Amino acid sequence: MKPFILVTGGTGYIGSHTVIQLQQKEYPVVILDNLSNSSPVVLDRIASITGNRPAFVEGDIRDRDLVRQLFRDYAVSDVIHFAGLKAVGEGEAEPLRYYDNNVSGSLALFQEMEAAGVFSIIFSSSATVYGNPGYSRFTEETPLNPVNVYGDTKKMVEDILRAAKRAQPVWQVALLRYFNPVGAHVSGMIGEDPAGIPNNLMPFITQVAVGKREKLSVFGNDWPTPDGTGRRDYIHVEDLASAHLAALNKLQGGESFLTVNVGTGRPYSVLEMVAAFEKASGKTIPYQFAARRAGDIAECYADPALAKTLLGWQAQHDVNRMCADSWRWQKNNPVGYE
Ligand code: NAD
Ligand code: UFG
């Protein structure tokens, strides 16, 4: 039997889409997730989409005994490490919890990988590591200067992996810096299911469309952008998932260190996203302009050239598809996985 891919955070939004694609490529998968931000129902949905239920270990990446036992129970070749906390505002309010979960948790995982002789890792980094450099098109050379705790945790984990690689060349590392994932699996069975009030634009829009929220607040209409609203590089979660398979392929082919932006290279404003969603769903999204959100920047998008050169990967799905798939998921699951 082929060795397992350990997917931490594999019942979460991006992890679940990646697990489906891994299984469709015949990789055996074991998920480690503490279910702090996901539901075990995801496992049933993955099973019905792929015909194959991934192995699942419920637990925390900081639980060293559990992680050690996992490496004993499963022959793992590579780790895709999604597990982490990701709400920017929450990170500002609870920095110690964020550093503990994201940084200490990653350290514990990497040390247990080392003890088990597993040295291949794909890490979920973020465009947030670049902060606010004063220009909008971010290359991988854009200096790392996170402006919030969440972004700092991502940079710290990147630093740890860069240092580990320098000291022990046996490590194989892919740092994938995601831009703004949206969309859902085309089946409408797997998607983003945020707890409480969504922080991010797309789940807020879909919850307005399904009648769960009254209207969208657009954070600022005085940004230096063509329509005054913030512009971001939205990327379909299926494209993001396929970037992980491309990175895995590279690592398994012997590549030793990759740092890659994962985006489309094309930004859309908040109002453009609202219009695209209305077109794809046939729903009207009422909105009001509100004050700028603290910590936001006007615009950011990926220079996606390196992903194409190094991984042979580029995004396939356009904004209409992103909106149509987000809507199908929300419409079929008005209360998420509950
Ligand atoms: P998510 O919250 O849906 O998934 C993360 C999963 O990790 C959840 O299932 C959660 O239960 C689990 N988890 C959290 N802490 C854990 C721990 N200590 N031990 C075990 N499991 C734990 O988030 P997502 O959107 O799928 O994001 C996945 C990764 O990608 C995260 O690391 C996130 O920071 C990163 N990322 C996300 C975005 C985004 O906009 N969604 C952008 C850039 C980077
Ligand atoms: N926005 C609104 N109203 C909302 C929510 C968002 O107008 O209710 C606006 C924001 O001001 C911004 C745009 O929509 O202009 C996108 O905001 P999101 O919160 O969806 O995304 P961010 O770019 O702020 O951040 C997200 C994730 C981070 C991740 C980053 C990577 O939250 O974790 O993308 O680029 F690191």
Coordinates of all heavy atoms in Angstrom, one line a residue, residues 187-222:
S187 N -20.2 19.7 -6.0 CA -21.3 18.9 -5.6 C -22.3 19.7 -4.7 O -23.4 19.3 -4.4 CB -20.8 17.7 -4.8 OG -20.2 18.1 -3.6
G188 N -21.8 20.8 -4.1 CA -22.5 21.5 -3.1 C -22.6 20.8 -1.7 O -23.3 21.2 -0.8
M189 N -21.8 19.8 -1.6 CA -21.8 19.0 -0.3 C -20.7 19.4 0.7 O -20.7 19.1 1.9 CB -21.6 17.5 -0.6 CG -22.8 16.9 -1.4 SD -22.5 15.3 -1.8 CE -22.6 14.4 -0.3
I190 N -19.7 20.1 0.2 CA -18.5 20.5 1.0 C -18.4 22.0 0.8 O -18.4 22.5 -0.4 CB -17.2 19.8 0.6 CG1 -17.3 18.3 0.8 CG2 -16.0 20.3 1.3 CD1 -17.0 17.8 2.1
G191 N -18.1 22.8 1.8 CA -17.9 24.2 1.6 C -17.5 24.9 2.9 O -17.1 24.2 3.9
E192 N -17.5 26.2 2.9 CA -17.0 26.9 4.1 C -18.2 27.1 5.1 O -19.2 27.6 4.7 CB -16.5 28.3 3.6 CG -15.8 29.1 4.7 CD -15.1 30.3 4.2 OE1 -15.3 30.7 3.1 OE2 -14.3 30.9 5.0
D193 N -17.9 26.8 6.3 CA -19.0 26.8 7.3 C -18.5 27.6 8.6 O -18.1 27.0 9.6 CB -19.3 25.4 7.7 CG -20.4 25.3 8.7 OD1 -21.2 26.3 8.9 OD2 -20.6 24.2 9.3
P194 N -18.4 28.9 8.5 CA -17.8 29.6 9.6 C -18.7 29.6 10.8 O -19.9 29.7 10.7 CB -17.6 31.1 9.0 CG -18.6 31.2 7.9 CD -18.8 29.8 7.4
A195 N -18.1 29.6 12.0 CA -18.8 29.7 13.2 C -19.2 31.1 13.5 O -18.3 32.0 13.3 CB -18.0 29.1 14.4
G196 N -20.4 31.4 13.9 CA -20.8 32.8 14.3 C -20.9 33.7 13.1 O -21.1 33.3 11.9
I197 N -20.6 35.0 13.3 CA -20.7 36.0 12.2 C -19.5 35.8 11.3 O -18.4 35.9 11.8 CB -20.8 37.4 12.8 CG1 -22.0 37.5 13.7 CG2 -20.9 38.4 11.7 CD1 -22.1 38.8 14.5
P198 N -19.7 35.6 10.0 CA -18.5 35.5 9.2 C -17.6 36.7 9.2 O -18.1 37.8 9.1 CB -19.1 35.3 7.8 CG -20.5 34.9 8.0 CD -20.9 35.5 9.3
N199 N -16.3 36.5 9.2 CA -15.3 37.6 9.1 C -15.1 38.0 7.7 O -14.8 39.1 7.4 CB -14.0 37.2 9.7 CG -14.1 36.9 11.2 OD1 -14.4 37.8 11.9 ND2 -13.8 35.7 11.6
N200 N -15.2 37.0 6.8 CA -14.8 37.1 5.4 C -16.0 37.5 4.5 O -17.1 37.2 4.8 CB -14.1 35.9 4.9 CG -12.8 35.6 5.8 OD1 -12.7 34.5 6.4 ND2 -11.9 36.5 5.8
L201 N -15.6 38.1 3.4 CA -16.6 38.6 2.5 C -17.6 37.6 1.9 O -18.8 37.7 2.0 CB -15.9 39.4 1.3 CG -16.9 40.0 0.3 CD1 -17.7 41.1 0.9 CD2 -16.1 40.6 -0.9
M202 N -17.0 36.5 1.3 CA -17.9 35.6 0.6 C -18.9 34.9 1.5 O -20.1 34.9 1.2 CB -17.1 34.6 -0.2 CG -17.9 33.7 -1.0 SD -19.0 34.5 -2.2 CE -18.0 34.6 -3.7
P203 N -18.5 34.3 2.6 CA -19.5 33.7 3.5 C -20.5 34.7 4.0 O -21.7 34.3 4.2 CB -18.7 33.1 4.6 CG -17.3 33.6 4.5 CD -17.1 34.1 3.1
F204 N -20.1 36.0 4.2 CA -21.1 36.9 4.6 C -22.1 37.1 3.5 O -23.4 37.1 3.7 CB -20.4 38.3 5.0 CG -21.3 39.1 6.0 CD1 -21.0 39.1 7.3 CD2 -22.4 39.7 5.5 CE1 -21.8 39.8 8.2 CE2 -23.3 40.4 6.4 CZ -22.9 40.5 7.7
I205 N -21.7 37.3 2.3 CA -22.6 37.5 1.1 C -23.5 36.3 1.0 O -24.8 36.4 0.8 CB -21.8 37.6 -0.2 CG1 -21.1 39.0 -0.2 CG2 -22.7 37.5 -1.4 CD1 -20.2 39.2 -1.5
T206 N -23.0 35.0 1.1 CA -23.9 33.9 1.0 C -24.9 33.8 2.1 O -26.0 33.4 1.9 CB -23.1 32.5 0.8 OG1 -22.4 32.3 2.1 CG2 -22.2 32.5 -0.3
Q207 N -24.5 34.2 3.3 CA -25.5 34.2 4.4 C -26.6 35.3 4.2 O -27.7 35.1 4.7 CB -24.8 34.3 5.7 CG -24.0 33.1 6.0 CD -23.5 33.0 7.5 OE1 -23.9 33.8 8.4 NE2 -22.7 31.9 7.8
V208 N -26.2 36.4 3.6 CA -27.3 37.4 3.2 C -28.2 36.8 2.2 O -29.4 36.8 2.3 CB -26.6 38.7 2.7 CG1 -27.7 39.6 2.2 CG2 -25.8 39.4 3.8
A209 N -27.6 36.1 1.2 CA -28.4 35.6 0.1 C -29.4 34.5 0.6 O -30.5 34.4 0.1 CB -27.5 34.9 -0.9
V210 N -29.0 33.8 1.6 CA -29.8 32.7 2.1 C -30.8 33.2 3.2 O -31.6 32.4 3.7 CB -29.0 31.5 2.6 CG1 -28.5 31.7 4.0 CG2 -29.6 30.2 2.4
G211 N -30.7 34.5 3.5 CA -31.7 35.1 4.5 C -31.2 35.0 5.9 O -32.0 35.4 6.8
K212 N -30.0 34.6 6.2 CA -29.5 34.5 7.5 C -29.0 35.8 8.1 O -29.0 36.1 9.3 CB -28.3 33.5 7.6 CG -28.0 32.8 8.9 CD -27.1 31.7 8.7 CE -26.5 31.3 10.0 NZ -25.5 30.2 9.9
R213 N -28.6 36.7 7.2 CA -28.2 38.1 7.6 C -28.9 39.0 6.7 O -29.2 38.8 5.6 CB -26.7 38.3 7.4 CG -25.8 37.1 7.9 CD -24.9 37.5 9.0 NE -24.5 36.2 9.6 CZ -24.6 35.9 10.9 NH1 -25.1 36.8 11.7 NH2 -24.2 34.7 11.4
E214 N -29.1 40.2 7.3 CA -30.0 41.2 6.6 C -29.3 41.9 5.4 O -29.8 41.9 4.3 CB -30.4 42.3 7.6 CG -31.6 43.1 7.2 CD -31.8 44.3 8.1 OE1 -31.3 44.2 9.3 OE2 -32.4 45.3 7.6
K215 N -28.1 42.4 5.7 CA -27.4 43.1 4.7 C -25.9 43.1 4.9 O -25.4 42.9 6.1 CB -27.9 44.5 4.4 CG -27.8 45.4 5.6 CD -28.1 46.8 5.2 CE -29.4 47.3 5.7 NZ -29.5 48.6 6.1
L216 N -25.2 43.2 3.8 CA -23.7 43.3 3.9 C -23.2 44.7 4.3 O -23.8 45.7 3.7 CB -23.1 42.9 2.5 CG -21.6 43.1 2.3 CD1 -20.9 42.0 3.1 CD2 -21.3 43.0 0.8
S217 N -22.3 44.8 5.2 CA -21.6 46.1 5.4 C -20.3 46.1 4.5 O -19.5 45.1 4.6 CB -21.2 46.2 6.8 OG -22.3 46.4 7.6
V218 N -20.2 47.0 3.6 CA -19.0 47.2 2.8 C -18.0 48.1 3.5 O -18.3 49.3 3.8 CB -19.4 47.7 1.4 CG1 -18.1 47.9 0.6 CG2 -20.4 46.8 0.7
F219 N -16.9 47.5 3.9 CA -16.0 48.3 4.8 C -15.1 49.3 4.0 O -14.0 49.0 3.6 CB -15.0 47.3 5.5 CG -15.8 46.3 6.4 CD1 -15.4 45.0 6.5 CD2 -16.8 46.7 7.2 CE1 -16.0 44.1 7.3 CE2 -17.5 45.8 8.0 CZ -17.1 44.5 8.1
G220 N -15.7 50.5 3.8 CA -15.0 51.6 3.2 C -15.4 51.7 1.7 O -15.4 50.7 1.0
N221 N -15.7 53.0 1.3 CA -15.9 53.2 -0.1 C -15.0 54.4 -0.5 O -15.3 55.0 -1.6 CB -17.4 53.5 -0.4 CG -17.9 54.7 0.3 OD1 -17.2 55.3 1.2 ND2 -19.1 55.2 0.0
D222 N -14.0 54.6 0.3 CA -13.0 55.7 0.0 C -11.6 55.2 -0.2 O -10.6 55.9 0.1 CB -13.1 56.8 1.1 CG -12.8 56.2 2.5 OD1 -12.7 54.9 2.6 OD2 -12.7 57.0 3.4

